[in-house]
Each structure stands twice: as C-alpha cells, then as structure tokens.
Amino acid sequence: DELVYGGITSSWASIDTVEDADKKGYRLPSSNEWEFAARYRGGDSINTVEGYSNPSFTKGNSASGATTFYFDYADGGGEPGKSANDSVAVYYSYWDGVTWVATGVTGLAVVASKGPFGANELGLYDMSGNVWEWCFTADGVNRVQRNGSWSSNSVGLQVGSMLSAGPGSQNSDIGFRFSRTR
C-alpha cells in the first residue's frame, strides 16, 4: 500500500496535509463517505429518505440503522425514538417530551456492544454514538467529526450531525475509523 497523505505535519492543518486520491491504502474517510456508509440501508425501506429505493438511505435525522428519527417521542417516554436509538447507539441522554433523561451510559463501550442488531446494513457498528469519529474533511483549520458519542444526548446520533475541532483535540469521546482505498 502507498502513503495516502502527503505533507503531514504535527499540526495536521488543512494547508499542510493533503489526500492523494490516486493512491491506495488506509486513511480516514471523508465526511461524505462517512455519511454515505452511516445512511446506507440496502433494501430496507423503513425510515428511508423519500424518493429513494434499493438502495435506500436512512433519513439524516436518525441514528445509523434506527427505524425512526432521534427525537420521536410520539408514544411518550421517549418511545419509539428511544427504542430505535437504544438498539443501535451508545449515548448519554434522550428527550422524553419534557426533559432530558439519562440512559445510564457513563463511558465508552466496547465496539459492537449492541450485538448483531447494532450493525447497519454494511455490517458497520457504532456509526451513531460511542465516540465522535475523525474524518479527513477540513472545516477551515479544523477537521470534521461525525457520529455523536457516549457523552452526547440523542441529538448527536443523527447521521447528518457533525462537529469540527482542531486536529490536536483529545477527549475520551473522540476516536476514528479507518477506510481503505483499493
């Protein structure tokens, strides 16, 4: 495999580090690649973007693989949004229609802790929750983070949600997922 990035410095600033799309190897996904992988539902038409079919994509206001949007409390008590989120994501709190309620999560979980139902259609686990994930995509001098984390409320679980931070940022709720160009 070849080195995918060039100009890497300790600051990882967008003007220093560039991706060579012609080279093959392991790398961080772009923000768009990350979102495509998180939204993918295959032939499952539950909670999909209207107008799409096979493949279909999860709505941007949902957790990856969830069957309803993150804030759905139509049945009261955070249901069914809470149930949908709980089946696929590790996160701190949800809205019950009146206030934010803690889920009991107090830290990072083992990858795939949600079991076989926690994977999306591509077999990817923790695409919503557990840790914010670095993407290569620059946002000014910062880099994009996607996913939500164990310390986030359910708003951060949305596959359309993102943050950005300086590349030197460190926290117990920041991680990464490698991609590979073949």
Side-chain angles (χ1 to χ4, degrees), residues 28-107:
L28 293 174
S30 71
S31 181
N32 288 342
E33 288 172 322
W34 186 95
E35 187 167 345
F36 181 82
R39 284 184 188 241
Y40 186 75
R41 294 194 65 87
D44 183 352
S45 62
I46 297 172
N47 193 34
T48 62
V49 175
E50 191 172 321
Y52 283 87
S53 62
N54 200 18
S56 47
F57 299 90
T58 299
K59 294 177 181 173
N61 65 358
S62 303
S64 180
T67 56
T68 187
F69 74 98
Y70 81 97
F71 215 51
D72 185 355
Y73 56 89
D75 294 337
E79 305 292 345
K82 182 180 179 309
S83 293
N85 292 338
D86 286 353
S87 67
V88 298
V90 176
Y91 65 107
Y92 181 74
S93 63
Y94 68 97
W95 182 254
D96 73 355
V98 178
T99 189
W100 289 101
V101 179
T103 62
V105 171
T106 59

Coordinates of all heavy atoms in Angstrom, one line a residue, residues 28-107:
L28 N -8.4 8.0 6.8 CA -9.7 8.5 7.4 C -10.7 8.7 6.2 O -10.3 9.1 5.2 CB -9.5 9.8 8.1 CG -8.7 9.7 9.4 CD1 -8.5 11.1 9.9 CD2 -9.3 8.8 10.4
P29 N -12.0 8.4 6.5 CA -13.0 8.6 5.4 C -13.2 10.1 5.3 O -13.0 10.9 6.3 CB -14.2 7.9 5.9 CG -14.1 7.9 7.4 CD -12.6 7.8 7.7
S30 N -13.7 10.5 4.2 CA -14.2 11.9 4.0 C -15.5 12.0 4.8 O -16.1 11.0 5.1 CB -14.4 12.3 2.6 OG -15.5 11.6 2.0
S31 N -16.0 13.2 5.1 CA -17.2 13.4 5.8 C -18.4 12.8 4.9 O -19.3 12.1 5.5 CB -17.5 14.8 6.0 OG -18.7 15.0 6.7
N32 N -18.3 13.0 3.6 CA -19.4 12.4 2.7 C -19.3 10.9 2.7 O -20.4 10.3 2.7 CB -19.2 13.0 1.3 CG -19.6 14.4 1.2 OD1 -20.3 15.0 2.1 ND2 -19.2 15.1 0.2
E33 N -18.1 10.3 2.7 CA -18.0 8.9 2.7 C -18.6 8.3 4.0 O -19.3 7.3 4.0 CB -16.6 8.4 2.5 CG -16.0 8.6 1.2 CD -14.5 8.4 1.1 OE1 -13.8 8.7 2.1 OE2 -14.0 7.8 0.1
W34 N -18.2 9.0 5.1 CA -18.7 8.5 6.4 C -20.3 8.5 6.4 O -20.9 7.6 6.8 CB -18.2 9.4 7.5 CG -18.5 8.9 8.9 CD1 -17.8 8.1 9.7 CD2 -19.8 9.1 9.5 NE1 -18.5 7.8 10.8 CE2 -19.7 8.4 10.7 CE3 -20.9 9.8 9.2 CZ2 -20.8 8.4 11.7 CZ3 -22.0 9.8 10.1 CH2 -21.9 9.1 11.3
E35 N -20.8 9.7 5.9 CA -22.3 9.8 6.0 C -23.0 8.8 5.1 O -24.0 8.2 5.4 CB -22.7 11.2 5.6 CG -24.2 11.4 5.8 CD -24.7 12.8 5.7 OE1 -23.8 13.8 5.8 OE2 -25.9 13.0 5.6
F36 N -22.4 8.5 3.9 CA -23.0 7.5 3.0 C -23.0 6.1 3.7 O -24.0 5.4 3.6 CB -22.2 7.5 1.7 CG -22.7 6.5 0.7 CD1 -23.8 6.8 -0.1 CD2 -22.2 5.2 0.6 CE1 -24.3 5.9 -1.1 CE2 -22.7 4.3 -0.3 CZ -23.7 4.6 -1.1
A37 N -21.9 5.8 4.3 CA -21.8 4.5 5.0 C -22.8 4.4 6.1 O -23.4 3.4 6.4 CB -20.4 4.2 5.5
A38 N -23.0 5.5 6.9 CA -23.9 5.5 8.0 C -25.4 5.5 7.6 O -26.2 4.9 8.3 CB -23.6 6.8 8.8
R39 N -25.7 6.1 6.5 CA -27.1 6.2 6.0 C -27.5 4.9 5.2 O -28.7 4.7 5.1 CB -27.3 7.3 5.0 CG -27.3 8.7 5.7 CD -27.6 9.7 4.7 NE -27.5 11.0 5.3 CZ -28.5 11.9 5.3 NH1 -29.7 11.6 4.8 NH2 -28.4 13.1 5.8
Y40 N -26.6 4.1 4.7 CA -27.0 3.0 3.8 C -27.9 2.0 4.5 O -27.6 1.6 5.6 CB -25.7 2.3 3.3 CG -26.0 1.2 2.3 CD1 -26.4 1.6 1.0 CD2 -26.0 -0.1 2.7 CE1 -26.7 0.6 0.1 CE2 -26.3 -1.1 1.7 CZ -26.7 -0.7 0.4 OH -27.0 -1.7 -0.5
R41 N -29.0 1.6 3.9 CA -30.0 0.7 4.4 C -30.2 -0.5 3.5 O -31.1 -1.4 3.8 CB -31.3 1.4 4.7 CG -31.2 2.4 5.8 CD -32.5 2.8 6.3 NE -33.3 1.7 6.9 CZ -33.2 1.4 8.2 NH1 -32.4 2.0 9.0 NH2 -33.9 0.4 8.7
G42 N -29.6 -0.6 2.3 CA -29.8 -1.7 1.4 C -31.3 -1.7 1.0 O -31.8 -0.6 0.6
G43 N -31.9 -2.8 1.0 CA -33.3 -2.9 0.6 C -34.3 -2.6 1.7 O -35.5 -2.7 1.4
D44 N -33.9 -2.2 2.9 CA -34.8 -1.9 4.0 C -35.4 -0.6 3.7 O -34.7 0.4 3.7 CB -34.0 -1.9 5.3 CG -34.8 -1.7 6.5 OD1 -36.0 -1.4 6.4 OD2 -34.3 -1.8 7.6
S45 N -36.7 -0.5 3.6 CA -37.4 0.7 3.3 C -37.9 1.5 4.5 O -38.5 2.5 4.4 CB -38.5 0.5 2.3 OG -39.5 -0.4 2.9
I46 N -37.7 0.9 5.7 CA -38.2 1.6 7.0 C -37.4 2.8 7.2 O -36.1 2.7 7.2 CB -38.1 0.6 8.2 CG1 -39.1 -0.6 7.9 CG2 -38.5 1.4 9.5 CD1 -38.9 -1.6 9.0
N47 N -38.0 4.0 7.5 CA -37.3 5.2 7.8 C -36.3 5.7 6.8 O -35.2 6.1 7.1 CB -36.6 5.0 9.2 CG -36.1 6.3 9.8 OD1 -36.8 7.3 9.6 ND2 -35.0 6.3 10.5
T48 N -36.6 5.6 5.5 CA -35.7 6.0 4.5 C -36.0 7.3 3.9 O -37.1 7.9 4.1 CB -35.8 5.0 3.3 OG1 -37.1 5.0 2.7 CG2 -35.4 3.6 3.7
V49 N -35.1 7.9 3.2 CA -35.3 9.2 2.6 C -36.3 9.0 1.5 O -36.2 8.1 0.6 CB -33.9 9.7 1.9 CG1 -34.1 10.9 1.2 CG2 -32.9 9.9 3.0
E50 N -37.3 9.8 1.5 CA -38.4 9.7 0.5 C -37.8 9.9 -0.9 O -37.0 10.7 -1.2 CB -39.4 10.8 0.7 CG -40.7 10.6 -0.1 CD -41.8 11.6 0.3 OE1 -41.9 11.9 1.6 OE2 -42.5 12.1 -0.6
G51 N -38.3 9.0 -1.8 CA -37.9 9.0 -3.2 C -36.7 8.1 -3.5 O -36.4 7.9 -4.7
Y52 N -36.1 7.5 -2.5 CA -35.1 6.5 -2.8 C -35.6 5.1 -2.6 O -36.4 4.9 -1.7 CB -33.9 6.7 -1.8 CG -33.0 7.9 -2.1 CD1 -33.3 9.2 -1.7 CD2 -31.9 7.7 -2.9 CE1 -32.5 10.3 -2.0 CE2 -31.1 8.8 -3.2 CZ -31.4 10.1 -2.8 OH -30.6 11.1 -3.1
S53 N -35.1 4.2 -3.4 CA -35.4 2.8 -3.2 C -34.3 2.0 -3.7 O -33.6 2.4 -4.7 CB -36.7 2.4 -3.9 OG -36.6 2.6 -5.3
N54 N -34.0 0.9 -3.1 CA -33.0 0.0 -3.4 C -31.8 0.5 -4.2 O -31.8 0.4 -5.4 CB -33.6 -1.2 -4.2 CG -32.7 -2.4 -4.1 OD1 -31.8 -2.5 -3.2 ND2 -32.9 -3.4 -4.9
P55 N -30.7 1.0 -3.6 CA -30.6 1.1 -2.2 C -31.3 2.3 -1.6 O -31.6 3.3 -2.3 CB -29.1 1.3 -2.0 CG -28.7 2.1 -3.2 CD -29.5 1.6 -4.3
S56 N -31.7 2.1 -0.4 CA -32.4 3.2 0.3 C -31.5 3.7 1.4 O -30.6 3.0 1.9 CB -33.7 2.7 0.9 OG -33.6 1.5 1.5
F57 N -31.7 4.9 1.9 CA -30.9 5.6 2.8 C -31.6 6.1 4.0 O -32.7 6.7 3.9 CB -30.1 6.7 2.2 CG -29.2 6.3 1.0 CD1 -29.7 6.2 -0.3 CD2 -27.9 5.8 1.3 CE1 -28.9 5.7 -1.3 CE2 -27.1 5.4 0.3 CZ -27.6 5.3 -1.0
T58 N -31.1 5.9 5.2 CA -31.7 6.4 6.4 C -31.8 8.0 6.4 O -30.9 8.6 5.9 CB -30.8 6.1 7.7 OG1 -30.7 4.7 7.7 CG2 -31.4 6.6 8.9
K59 N -32.9 8.5 6.9 CA -33.1 9.9 7.0 C -31.9 10.5 7.8 O -31.5 9.9 8.8 CB -34.4 10.3 7.6 CG -35.6 9.9 6.6 CD -36.9 10.1 7.3 CE -38.0 9.7 6.4 NZ -39.3 9.8 7.0
G60 N -31.5 11.7 7.5 CA -30.4 12.4 8.2 C -30.7 12.7 9.7 O -29.8 13.0 10.4
N61 N -32.0 12.7 10.1 CA -32.3 13.0 11.5 C -32.4 11.7 12.3 O -33.0 11.7 13.4 CB -33.6 13.8 11.6 CG -34.8 13.0 11.1 OD1 -34.7 11.9 10.7 ND2 -36.0 13.7 11.2
S62 N -31.8 10.6 11.9 CA -31.9 9.3 12.6 C -30.5 8.8 12.9 O -29.5 9.2 12.2 CB -32.6 8.3 11.7 OG -33.9 8.8 11.3
A63 N -30.4 7.9 13.9 CA -29.2 7.2 14.1 C -29.0 6.2 13.0 O -30.0 5.7 12.4 CB -29.3 6.5 15.5
S64 N -27.8 5.8 12.7 CA -27.5 4.8 11.7 C -28.1 3.5 12.0 O -27.9 2.9 13.1 CB -26.0 4.6 11.6 OG -25.7 3.7 10.6
G65 N -29.0 3.0 11.1 CA -29.7 1.8 11.4 C -31.0 1.9 12.2 O -31.7 0.9 12.3
A66 N -31.3 3.0 12.7 CA -32.5 3.2 13.5 C -33.8 3.2 12.6 O -33.7 3.6 11.4 CB -32.4 4.5 14.3
T67 N -34.9 2.9 13.2 CA -36.1 2.8 12.5 C -37.0 4.0 12.6 O -38.1 4.0 12.1 CB -36.9 1.5 12.9 OG1 -37.1 1.6 14.3 CG2 -36.2 0.3 12.5
T68 N -36.6 5.0 13.3 CA -37.3 6.3 13.5 C -36.3 7.4 13.8 O -35.2 7.2 14.0 CB -38.4 6.2 14.6 OG1 -39.2 7.3 14.6 CG2 -37.7 6.0 16.0
F69 N -36.8 8.7 13.8 CA -35.9 9.8 14.0 C -35.6 9.9 15.5 O -36.3 9.5 16.3 CB -36.4 11.0 13.3 CG -37.5 11.7 14.0 CD1 -37.3 12.8 14.9 CD2 -38.8 11.3 13.8 CE1 -38.3 13.5 15.5 CE2 -39.9 12.0 14.4 CZ -39.6 13.1 15.3
Y70 N -34.4 10.5 15.7 CA -33.8 10.5 17.1 C -34.7 11.2 18.2 O -34.6 10.9 19.3 CB -32.5 11.3 17.1 CG -32.7 12.8 17.1 CD1 -32.6 13.5 18.3 CD2 -33.0 13.5 16.0 CE1 -32.8 14.9 18.4 CE2 -33.2 14.9 16.0 CZ -33.1 15.5 17.2 OH -33.2 16.9 17.3
F71 N -35.6 12.0 17.8 CA -36.4 12.8 18.7 C -37.9 12.4 18.8 O -38.7 13.1 19.3 CB -36.3 14.3 18.3 CG -36.3 15.3 19.4 CD1 -35.4 15.2 20.4 CD2 -37.1 16.4 19.3 CE1 -35.3 16.1 21.4 CE2 -37.1 17.3 20.3 CZ -36.2 17.2 21.4
D72 N -38.2 11.2 18.2 CA -39.5 10.8 18.2 C -40.0 10.3 19.5 O -39.6 9.3 20.0 CB -39.6 9.6 17.2 CG -41.1 9.2 16.9 OD1 -42.0 9.7 17.6 OD2 -41.3 8.3 16.1
Y73 N -40.9 11.0 20.2 CA -41.5 10.6 21.5 C -43.0 10.6 21.4 O -43.7 10.8 22.3 CB -41.0 11.5 22.6 CG -41.2 13.0 22.4 CD1 -42.4 13.6 22.8 CD2 -40.3 13.8 21.8 CE1 -42.7 14.9 22.6 CE2 -40.5 15.2 21.6 CZ -41.7 15.7 22.0 OH -41.9 17.0 21.8
A74 N -43.5 10.3 20.2 CA -44.9 10.3 19.9 C -45.7 9.4 20.9 O -46.8 9.7 21.3 CB -45.2 9.8 18.5
D75 N -45.1 8.3 21.3 CA -45.8 7.4 22.2 C -45.5 7.7 23.7 O -45.8 6.9 24.6 CB -45.4 5.9 22.0 CG -45.9 5.5 20.6 OD1 -46.8 6.0 20.1 OD2 -45.3 4.5 20.1
G76 N -44.8 8.8 24.0 CA -44.5 9.2 25.3 C -43.2 8.5 25.8 O -42.8 7.5 25.3
G77 N -42.6 9.1 26.8 CA -41.4 8.4 27.4 C -40.3 8.2 26.5 O -39.5 7.3 26.7
G78 N -40.1 9.0 25.5 CA -39.0 8.9 24.5 C -39.2 7.7 23.6 O -38.3 7.4 22.8
E79 N -40.4 7.1 23.5 CA -40.6 6.0 22.6 C -41.3 6.5 21.3 O -42.1 7.4 21.5 CB -41.5 4.9 23.3 CG -40.9 4.4 24.5 CD -39.6 3.6 24.4 OE1 -39.3 3.2 23.2 OE2 -38.9 3.4 25.4
P80 N -41.1 6.0 20.2 CA -40.2 4.9 19.8 C -38.8 5.3 19.5 O -37.9 4.5 19.2 CB -40.9 4.2 18.6 CG -41.6 5.3 17.9 CD -42.0 6.3 19.0
G81 N -38.6 6.6 19.5 CA -37.2 7.1 19.2 C -36.2 6.6 20.1 O -35.1 6.1 19.7
K82 N -36.5 6.5 21.4 CA -35.5 6.0 22.4 C -35.2 4.5 22.1 O -34.1 4.1 22.1 CB -36.0 6.1 23.8 CG -35.0 5.6 24.8 CD -35.5 5.8 26.2 CE -34.5 5.2 27.2 NZ -34.0 3.9 27.0
S83 N -36.3 3.7 21.8 CA -36.1 2.3 21.5 C -35.2 2.1 20.2 O -34.3 1.3 20.2 CB -37.4 1.6 21.3 OG -38.1 1.5 22.5
A84 N -35.5 2.9 19.2 CA -34.7 2.8 18.0 C -33.2 3.2 18.2 O -32.3 2.5 17.8 CB -35.3 3.8 16.9
N85 N -33.0 4.3 19.0 CA -31.7 4.7 19.4 C -31.0 3.6 20.2 O -29.8 3.3 20.0 CB -31.7 6.0 20.1 CG -32.1 7.2 19.2 OD1 -32.0 7.1 18.0 ND2 -32.6 8.2 19.8
D86 N -31.7 3.1 21.2 CA -31.1 2.2 22.1 C -30.6 0.9 21.4 O -29.6 0.2 21.9 CB -32.0 1.8 23.2 CG -32.2 2.9 24.3 OD1 -31.5 3.9 24.2 OD2 -33.1 2.7 25.1
S87 N -31.3 0.5 20.3 CA -30.9 -0.7 19.6 C -29.6 -0.6 18.9 O -29.0 -1.6 18.5 CB -32.0 -1.2 18.7 OG -32.2 -0.3 17.7
V88 N -29.2 0.7 18.5 CA -28.0 0.8 17.7 C -26.9 1.7 18.3 O -25.8 1.8 17.7 CB -28.4 1.4 16.3 CG1 -29.3 0.4 15.6 CG2 -29.1 2.8 16.4
A89 N -27.2 2.5 19.3 CA -26.3 3.5 19.7 C -26.0 3.6 21.2 O -26.8 3.2 22.1 CB -26.8 4.9 19.3
V90 N -24.8 4.0 21.6 CA -24.3 4.2 23.0 C -24.3 5.7 23.1 O -23.5 6.4 22.5 CB -22.9 3.6 23.2 CG1 -22.4 4.0 24.6 CG2 -22.9 2.1 23.0
Y91 N -25.2 6.3 24.0 CA -25.3 7.7 24.2 C -25.8 8.0 25.6 O -26.3 7.2 26.3 CB -26.3 8.3 23.1 CG -27.7 7.8 23.2 CD1 -28.7 8.7 23.7 CD2 -28.1 6.5 22.9 CE1 -30.0 8.3 23.8 CE2 -29.4 6.1 23.0 CZ -30.3 7.0 23.4 OH -31.6 6.6 23.6
Y92 N -25.7 9.3 26.0 CA -25.9 9.7 27.3 C -27.4 9.9 27.7 O -27.8 9.5 28.8 CB -25.1 11.0 27.6 CG -25.2 11.4 29.1 CD1 -24.6 10.7 30.1 CD2 -26.0 12.5 29.4 CE1 -24.8 11.1 31.4 CE2 -26.2 12.9 30.7 CZ -25.6 12.2 31.7 OH -25.7 12.6 33.0
S93 N -28.1 10.7 26.9 CA -29.5 11.1 27.3 C -30.4 11.2 26.1 O -30.0 11.4 25.0 CB -29.5 12.3 28.1 OG -29.0 13.4 27.4
Y94 N -31.7 11.1 26.4 CA -32.7 11.3 25.4 C -33.8 12.3 25.9 O -33.9 12.5 27.1 CB -33.4 10.0 25.0 CG -34.2 9.4 26.1 CD1 -35.6 9.5 26.2 CD2 -33.6 8.6 27.1 CE1 -36.3 9.0 27.2 CE2 -34.3 8.1 28.2 CZ -35.7 8.2 28.2 OH -36.4 7.7 29.2
W95 N -34.6 12.9 25.0 CA -35.7 13.8 25.4 C -36.9 13.0 25.5 O -37.3 12.2 24.7 CB -35.8 14.8 24.3 CG -36.8 15.9 24.5 CD1 -38.1 16.0 24.0 CD2 -36.7 16.9 25.4 NE1 -38.7 17.0 24.4 CE2 -37.9 17.7 25.3 CE3 -35.7 17.4 26.3 CZ2 -38.2 18.8 26.1 CZ3 -36.0 18.5 27.1 CH2 -37.2 19.2 26.9
D96 N -37.6 13.1 26.7 CA -38.9 12.4 26.9 C -40.1 13.2 26.6 O -41.2 12.8 27.0 CB -38.9 11.8 28.3 CG -39.1 12.9 29.4 OD1 -39.2 14.1 29.1 OD2 -39.3 12.4 30.5
G97 N -39.9 14.4 26.0 CA -41.1 15.3 25.7 C -41.1 16.4 26.7 O -41.8 17.4 26.5
V98 N -40.4 16.3 27.8 CA -40.5 17.3 28.9 C -39.0 17.7 29.3 O -38.7 18.9 29.4 CB -41.2 16.8 30.1 CG1 -41.2 17.8 31.2 CG2 -42.7 16.4 29.8
T99 N -38.2 16.7 29.4 CA -36.8 17.0 29.9 C -35.8 15.9 29.3 O -36.3 14.9 28.8 CB -36.8 17.0 31.4 OG1 -35.5 17.4 31.9 CG2 -37.1 15.6 32.0
W100 N -34.5 16.2 29.5 CA -33.5 15.2 29.1 C -33.4 14.2 30.2 O -33.3 14.5 31.4 CB -32.2 15.9 28.9 CG -32.2 16.7 27.6 CD1 -32.3 18.1 27.5 CD2 -32.1 16.2 26.3 NE1 -32.3 18.5 26.2 CE2 -32.2 17.3 25.4 CE3 -32.0 15.0 25.7 CZ2 -32.2 17.2 24.0 CZ3 -31.9 14.9 24.3 CH2 -32.0 16.0 23.5
V101 N -33.4 12.9 29.8 CA -33.3 11.8 30.8 C -32.1 11.0 30.5 O -31.8 10.6 29.3 CB -34.6 10.9 30.6 CG1 -34.5 9.7 31.6 CG2 -35.8 11.7 30.9
A102 N -31.3 10.7 31.5 CA -30.1 9.9 31.3 C -30.4 8.5 31.0 O -31.3 7.9 31.5 CB -29.2 10.0 32.6
T103 N -29.6 7.9 30.1 CA -29.7 6.5 29.7 C -29.0 5.5 30.6 O -29.2 4.3 30.6 CB -29.2 6.3 28.3 OG1 -27.8 6.5 28.3 CG2 -29.9 7.1 27.3
G104 N -28.1 6.1 31.5 CA -27.3 5.2 32.3 C -25.9 5.0 31.8 O -25.1 4.4 32.5
V105 N -25.7 5.4 30.6 CA -24.3 5.3 30.0 C -23.4 6.3 30.7 O -23.7 7.5 30.8 CB -24.4 5.6 28.5 CG1 -23.0 5.6 27.9 CG2 -25.2 4.5 27.8
T106 N -22.2 5.8 31.1 CA -21.3 6.6 31.8 C -19.9 6.6 31.2 O -19.0 7.3 31.7 CB -21.1 6.2 33.3 OG1 -20.7 4.9 33.3 CG2 -22.5 6.4 34.0
G107 N -19.7 5.9 30.1 CA -18.4 5.9 29.4 C -18.4 5.1 28.1 O -19.4 4.6 27.7

